Amino acid sequence: MAEARARGRPRGFDEGRALDAAVRLFRAEGYDGAPVDRLCREMRVPRATLYDLFGGKEGLFLAAVARYADTRIAPVLAALGPSGTLRDDLAAFYDAVLALATADREAPGCLVSCALADAAGSNTGFRAELAARYAAMERRIAARLMAAGWDVQAATQPKAAAALAASIARGLMLAARSGTEAAQLRPTAEAAVGALLALHPEGSPGHG
């Protein structure tokens, strides 16, 4: 029977939809606040299937983080282009950050910057995952800065400027988690764009 219906998967099981349900619950409640029984209900899978597919709650959480990165964070990073000037693309990036952080009133913030960061404290696997996700975002931002002619030998190197840009994005996510609305966060995002451009070694506000 199709290898026991793919090792015990329920008929009609859609792993992407199931992971999306897990993402939303983890994002809303955090890792510790999402019990396995409730995850099973939201995902519409038996407990045995959850353990068979993901090895347990930790494996499911890491799979949910990967799903979130592919479906939610990837479009945020894609906003960096390059498709316009550096100012345009940084503004688009922060617009996408705010949209992601505030679109779901029941689960504001970010699965990585909020739930994964909170769970990482005593879990070495989660800490490694968090470091990898942070590094991936910073590399993508640094690549956009260098595409705009940001010299790697500048006083503020692109790697450092990218870390600053990503840290501001994470701060906006955390503020959204507390219930702060996008309209209240937007001035901070706009100030971030100006501050980053001021660090550009060319000193050109809209440098390509």
Side-chain angles (χ1 to χ4, degrees):
M1 290 181 60
E3 200 171 339
R5 196 178 296 142
R7 297 187 59 187
R9 298 184 184 206
R11 187 181 302 278
F13 176 75
D14 184 325
E15 186 168 328
R17 290 179 64 180
L19 283 173
D20 286 339
V23 164
R24 192 163 190 273
L25 184 57
F26 280 131
R27 190 174 168 188
E29 305 294 342
Y31 178 76
D32 290 333
V36 170
D37 287 346
R38 188 174 172 196
L39 284 161
C40 290
R41 287 198 303 273
E42 296 293 331
M43 296 170 68
R44 300 182 180 180
V45 297
R47 178 185 281 261
T49 298
L50 187 151
Y51 278 86
D52 185 48
L53 293 177
F54 304 107
K57 185 178 175 181
E58 286 193 15
L60 171 61
F61 185 55
L62 291 173
V65 168
R67 173 74 174 179
Y68 181 83
D70 290 343
T71 60
R72 275 75 156 187
I73 294 180
V76 172
L77 296 179
L80 286 164
S83 56
T85 66
L86 182 57
R87 177 184 291 279
D88 292 338
D89 289 349
L90 286 173
F93 167 72
Y94 283 114
D95 282 347
V97 166
L98 294 182
L100 177 61
T102 61
D104 189 340
R105 289 181 176 272
E106 299 300 318
C110 172
L111 184 65
V112 173
S113 300
C114 302
L116 178 58
D118 184 60
S122 60
N123 187 305
T124 55
F126 291 170
R127 286 205 302 271
E129 183 71 13
L130 182 67
R133 297 297 174 184
Y134 280 5
M137 175 172 282
E138 290 170 19
R139 285 195 301 270
R140 179 66 181 85
I141 298 171
R144 178 62 186 93
L145 299 180
M146 287 187 285
W150 201 300
D151 191 341
V152 295
Q153 301 299 324
T156 301
Q157 296 180 358
K159 183 176 179 180
L164 175 60
S167 295
I168 294 169
R170 292 192 284 267
L172 292 168
M173 292 288 194
L174 288 168
R177 181 70 167 175
S178 73
T180 309
E181 300 286 344
Q184 295 172 274
L185 295 172
R186 194 165 303 283
T188 301
E190 292 171 352
V193 174
L196 288 164
L197 291 172
L199 294 172
H200 195 290
E202 293 291 324
S204 174
H207 198 70

